[in-house]
Every structure is written in C-alpha cells, then in structure tokens.
Amino acid sequence: MRLSRYFLPILKENPREAEIVSHRLMLRAGMIRQQGQGSFSWLPLGKRVLDKVCRIVREEQDRAGALEILMPTIQSADLWRESGRYDDYGKEMLRIKDRQERDMLFGPTNEEMVTEIFRSYVKSYKDLPLNLYHIQWKFRDEVRPRFGVMRSREFLMKDAYSFDLNFEGARAAYNRMFVSYLRTFTRMGLQAIPMRADTGPIGGDLSHEFIILADTGESQVFCHKDYLSLAVPGADTDFSNDEQIAGIVKQWTTPYAATDEMHEEATWDSLPEADKVSARGIEVGHIFHFGEKYSKPMNAKVQGPDGKEHFVSMGSYGIGPSRLIAAIIEASHDDNGIIWPESIAPFDIGLINMKVGDAECDRICGELYDLFGKAGKDVLYDDTDQRAGGKFATADLIGLPWQVIVGPRGAAAGEVEIKNRRTGDRESLPIAQALAKLGIAAEMGIAE
Ligand code: ATP
Ligand code: MG
C-alpha cells in the first residue's frame, strides 16, 4: 500500500477526550473514529488490525473443533421471553420496535438464538459434541462507556456455545475452549492469565476470566508469579485427547489466581510474599459453563444412549476482539507510539523514502516495494513528500514491526537502514543483508 493513496488521518495533538494511552494512540494513529457515545468506526489501519485479530481467534476456535456461523444482530424479544431473560437483562439491553410494533432487541449476547438453532436440528447424542461460534457486533448500553473501544456500547465479540449430552462432555468442551484461549492470546503477543470467576447460582468452578495485567485495567487481580512463566501449549496440541487437555487446564488452574470478586484473603496470605503478584487487569475473555440454564426453559433436548431425552449441557465462551486491540496497545507501546506484535501488525514493514524525487531512492523503494509484496509481506510505502522527521514520527506512531529507510546517501552506496520498532535498533546494511534480516530469501534480491 502506498501511503500517498492510503487513508491514514494522523492526529498531531493528543485528543483531550482520551484518558488512557490505548485510546489516545488509536485516535492519533487514525485507527478509529468516534461516532457517538461508545460507538466507533474502524478506519483502514484499525480495520486491518481487527481482521488480523479475528483471524487468529478463528484459527484457534477451528483448531479446537468449534464451527463458525453468523447470527443476526437484531433479535426477537420472544426468544428472550422463553428463557426469561427479556425482563431480567435490564437497561444494558437496547430494545427496539419494528414497524409492526413487535418487540425486538439488538443482541448483547446470543445464548437464546443459538439454542433455538440447536433444538431445531439436533435430536441425538450422536451429533454431539457441538460447538458453534460467531464473530458479530454486540450492543450493550453500558452505564459508563469509556476508554474508547475498551468499554464501548457497540463492540465486536467472538461468542462460542457448546452443547453436550452431560456434565462430563460439557467439562471436556470447556477445557478445549480454555486451552484454545491460552493459545489465542499468546499468538497475539499477550500473556493472559485465567482467573476463577463467579459462577453465581450455577455453582461449580467452571468459569474463568482471561486477564491481561495492565495498570489501566478496571479490575484488581491477584495471582501467583508462576503464571508469568508457564509454557503455553503448542500448535500440535491434540484437542481430541480429553485427558491431555484436562491436564493442561489443571496446570493452568493450580496456582492461585483470582479477580477481587473471587479473592480469598486467607489463601492469599498463605503465599510467600515474593510469589504474589497483585495488579490491575483487563478482562479480554470469559468462559462459562451454565449447564441446563437455557436448554431447560427452551426445551433443547437430545436422545441419549439410554433411549431417554436429556436437556443438553451448555457453556458459552466470549472474546472481545475490539477490546483486545486496546489491551494489546496498553501492554505494548512507548512514548512514541504503538509497538505491534508481528502477528497482528497492520503491515509488517514500513518502507520510508526519505527523498521522493531522487532517482536512486525512488528506484530502490519501487523495487523493494514489489519485492516485499512477492515475499508475502504487507508493506506500507511512505512515498509522500512529507519531511523526514514527520515520516519517522508517523512510522513510530503506527508501530509497524520493521522500518526500512531509504535515503540518498545510503542509496548511492547500495545500502538501506532498517529499524526494529520494538528494540529501537537501527543499522545501515547492504540491501541483501537487510533483506535477510527481514527474513526474505536471498535469491529474491534486487539490483543494488
Ligand atoms: P465486563 O465485566 O468487562 O463488562 P462482561 O463480563 O460483561 O465484561 P462478557 O459478557 O463475558 O463480558 O463478554 C465477553 C467478552 O466481551 C469480554 O471478555 C470482553 O472481552 C468483551 N466485552 C464485554 N463488554 C464489552 C464492552 N462494553 N466493550 C468492549 N468489549 C466488551
Ligand atoms: Mg459487562
């Protein structure tokens, strides 16, 4: 992508409404535009990140055996009357009437709708386990929308719903999602810690919030320092092996970890002082087993091996991709701007032409631009006539992992400068070496 043709509305000034760094940087880097209270448009740079985050979420949901669907945002109130939640949900639900005066709502979540789909088709335990998920916009009329996309009213959510014959099956389904979440967040460069969460009237211990430690987090959290060094399961994890998956969950739930709602002072006090991590946290995901809470009132049953009908045992599993992006920035930035983890960076490389119009700079940049494309790299080519200082500031602000800087002096000597955004290391290298550093095969070189 050529910056001269791109839409990147950078803000020079710090927007006054932004209280936390991620909100400030997302506005300044031209990622989002506020449209109303807790409502945001995603501009091209932001949309690229959102898509990359969703791609990782999808890949890990699919790996764990979940199947993607897409349900509508607008739902009928009648469905929610079946479960009894239409009256219970309260003011967070945006209620709407259609032209026939029918009660509708903008979905804050989809348990009812997915249960309706399930009961319409699935009749036998032989079709289980089943886990259906979608990535769809939600609306919750939050009391205090704030911090940009961190707590907005309209936000993107991946919500998965599992259906099993009995509790044993539901627990295995829960464990698969648990492990899938560990992998999902790690792939985004985040250390997310699963913490026991309230199960309310459902009881049991199958509810975890996945928390990123960050000073701007809304909750107070407590955990053992072992979490900071636990190994996350690899891509070869066998999700069909219930025992192995349960083993990983056990390992990740044994050290102490709780949000302030679930905090137990006595257990905490018994830990050695040096092992305690007490910090602020951002909730980026929540998994929850709720058994027959919806299947019973909504009559979602399957025939079991015993020939009898059983209400299915369910769980739901949420991740907020839009909130995640803010959380990633909270965890990864410096005074100059965002520092994207490579897996979700909007572009892999920022190619900076220091002197547009200089024949050699233009030629080298043009050839590198084509080459990066062929090598499968996403590249943003700054071919604008802005002065060098401005180009560097923009590149640092939008936080692409690598900058490749082509100036007249280096170009004449067949060299370019490459800068690693995270470490800040810069070096001038012959073009072939610079390419090697970026992981591009030697035979793909250009004329120097
Ligand atoms: P919170 O306690 O932060 O309000 P929640 O418990 O209401 O979250 P869930 O219903 O479990 O959240 O939703 C699943 C995920 O959706 C959350 O983990 C979070 O990542 C995301 N999410 C929830 N509410 C919002 C919001 N207002 N803005 C952005 N993302 C949200
Ligand atoms: Mg909430």
Side-chain angles (χ1 to χ4, degrees):
M1 177 57 62
R2 286 170 184 271
L3 187 54
S4 60
R5 317 243 172 92
Y6 203 48
F7 179 57
L8 185 68
I10 298 281
L11 302 182
K12 296 247 164 10
E13 304 292 319
N14 269 329
R16 252 181 306 149
E17 71 269 28
E19 295 169 66
I20 60 171
V21 67
S22 56
H23 189 194
R24 196 154 61 231
L25 289 174
M26 288 181 83
L27 290 170
R28 284 198 50 213
M31 293 177 64
I32 51 170
R33 169 79 190 161
Q34 181 151 9
Q35 304 293 173
Q37 219 198 5
S39 143
F40 296 86
S41 290
W42 291 77
L43 305 183
L45 194 77
K47 177 66 165 53
R48 288 185 77 97
V49 181
L50 194 58
D51 286 347
K52 291 205 171 178
V53 164
C54 289
R55 191 171 79 192
I56 293 177
V57 169
R58 277 197 179 91
E59 285 174 7
E60 295 303 328
Q61 289 293 290
D62 296 350
R63 192 196 302 280
L67 302 170
E68 186 170 9
I69 60 173
L70 184 57
M71 293 177 271
T73 54
I74 306 292
Q75 307 185 21
S76 148
D78 286 341
L79 257 185
W80 287 65
R81 291 194 175 106
E82 283 192 46
S83 71
R85 273 212 293 185
Y86 189 65
D87 294 325
D88 290 352
Y89 208 89
K91 291 202 159 178
E92 275 197 10
M93 181 189 280
L94 180 65
R95 295 156 206 260
I96 311 166
K97 276 198 197 297
D98 71 5
R99 64 163 69 191
Q100 274 101 25
E101 293 290 308
R102 276 190 293 246
D103 292 325
M104 314 288 286
L105 57 99
F106 195 115
T109 178
N110 282 66
E111 281 82 2
E112 286 78 359
M113 193 176 271
V114 77
T115 303
E116 192 281 332
I117 295 174
F118 180 89
R119 75 178 175 197
S120 306
Y121 299 107
V122 185
K123 307 289 177 203
S124 161
Y125 75 97
K126 291 181 188 154
D127 297 321
L128 303 181
L130 185 65
N131 183 325
L132 300 175
Y133 77 96
H134 72 163
I135 300 181
Q136 178 62 290
W137 296 94
K138 304 288 186 287
F139 191 96
R140 293 182 186 172
D141 204 348
E142 300 274 358
V143 196
R144 278 228 301 157
R146 57 178 182 158
F147 302 158
V149 297
M150 187 82 87
R151 181 169 297 284
S152 47
R153 295 201 295 171
E154 190 169 341
F155 59 95
L156 198 55
M157 196 200 286
K158 182 287 298 180
D159 36 328
Y161 303 90
S162 65
F163 302 88
D164 286 272
L165 176 64
N166 51 31
F167 176 72
E168 286 312 299
R171 180 159 59 190
Y174 182 92
N175 288 346
R176 284 192 291 275
M177 283 292 113
F178 186 110
V179 173
S180 157
Y181 275 38
L182 292 177
R183 288 193 39 77
T184 302
F185 298 124
T186 295
R187 284 188 59 190
M188 295 174 193
L190 288 171
Q191 203 160 40
I193 302 171
M195 303 202 178
R196 276 285 300 279
D198 196 8
T199 49
I202 307 285
D205 56 2
L206 296 187
S207 176
H208 287 88
E209 291 177 352
F210 286 75
I211 305 271
I212 306 292
L213 304 184
D215 293 340
T216 44
E218 288 183 290
S219 24
Q220 181 66 36
V221 300
F222 306 86
C223 69
H224 195 286
K225 81 167 185 347
D226 280 359
Y227 277 107
L228 306 177
S229 55
L230 270 183
V232 170
D236 57 352
T237 304
D238 180 3
F239 280 91
S240 65
N241 186 334
D242 287 351
E243 216 172 306
Q244 208 174 73
I245 295 291
I248 298 170
V249 172
K250 179 139 205 308
Q251 194 194 3
W252 278 84
T253 48
T254 303
Y256 186 81
T259 61
D260 51 2
E261 287 159 21
M262 297 293 290
H263 190 45
E264 292 162 9
E265 286 292 345
T267 321
W268 183 243
D269 289 344
S270 69
L271 293 182
E273 217 43 56
D275 291 348
K276 290 181 183 175
V277 178
S278 154
R280 304 295 296 176
I282 301 169
E283 179 200 320
V284 288
H286 188 182
I287 61 178
F288 194 78
H289 164 78
F290 48 74
E292 300 173 0
K293 182 170 179 205
Y294 301 94
S295 58
K296 212 170 204 168
M298 295 186 67
N299 203 28
K301 295 186 285 206
V302 293
Q303 190 171 52
D306 54 4
K308 293 194 188 124
E309 299 216 296
H310 301 258
F311 291 116
V312 281
S313 187
M314 295 174 59
S316 74
Y317 314 91
I319 291 183
S322 45
R323 175 182 288 180
L324 254 176
I325 293 173
I328 289 166
I329 297 174
E330 290 296 326
S332 184
H333 67 271
D334 63 15
D335 289 345
N336 298 327
I338 302 166
I339 303 175
W340 291 116
E342 302 207 356
S343 58
I344 55 147
F347 297 93
D348 305 310
I349 300 171
L351 173 62
I352 301 175
N353 187 339
M354 300 260 284
K355 198 164 184 198
V356 172
D358 175 279
E360 204 48 12
C361 285
D362 291 352
R363 180 188 69 81
I364 291 180
C365 284
E367 291 188 20
L368 285 176
Y369 181 65
D370 291 343
L371 175 73
F372 291 152
K374 282 192 201 117
K377 303 277 183 194
D378 288 332
V379 49
L380 183 64
Y381 172 23
D382 191 341
D383 59 344
T384 64
D385 53 13
Q386 233 199 114
R387 60 190 172 75
K391 291 192 177 191
F392 292 144
T394 296
D396 280 354
L397 174 63
I398 66 173
L400 309 182
W402 291 97
Q403 295 168 21
V404 176
I405 303 153
V406 181
R409 207 176 322 143
E415 290 195 343
V416 297
E417 197 178 357
I418 70 172
K419 173 176 168 179
N420 181 290
R421 176 67 181 90
R422 186 170 295 279
T423 62
D425 293 343
R426 307 168 64 130
E427 46 184 341
S428 280
L429 293 171
I431 291 171
Q433 280 181 41
L435 293 176
K437 205 130 199 181
L438 297 168
I440 294 172
E443 61 275 14
M444 293 193 78
I446 65 165
E448 294 181 17

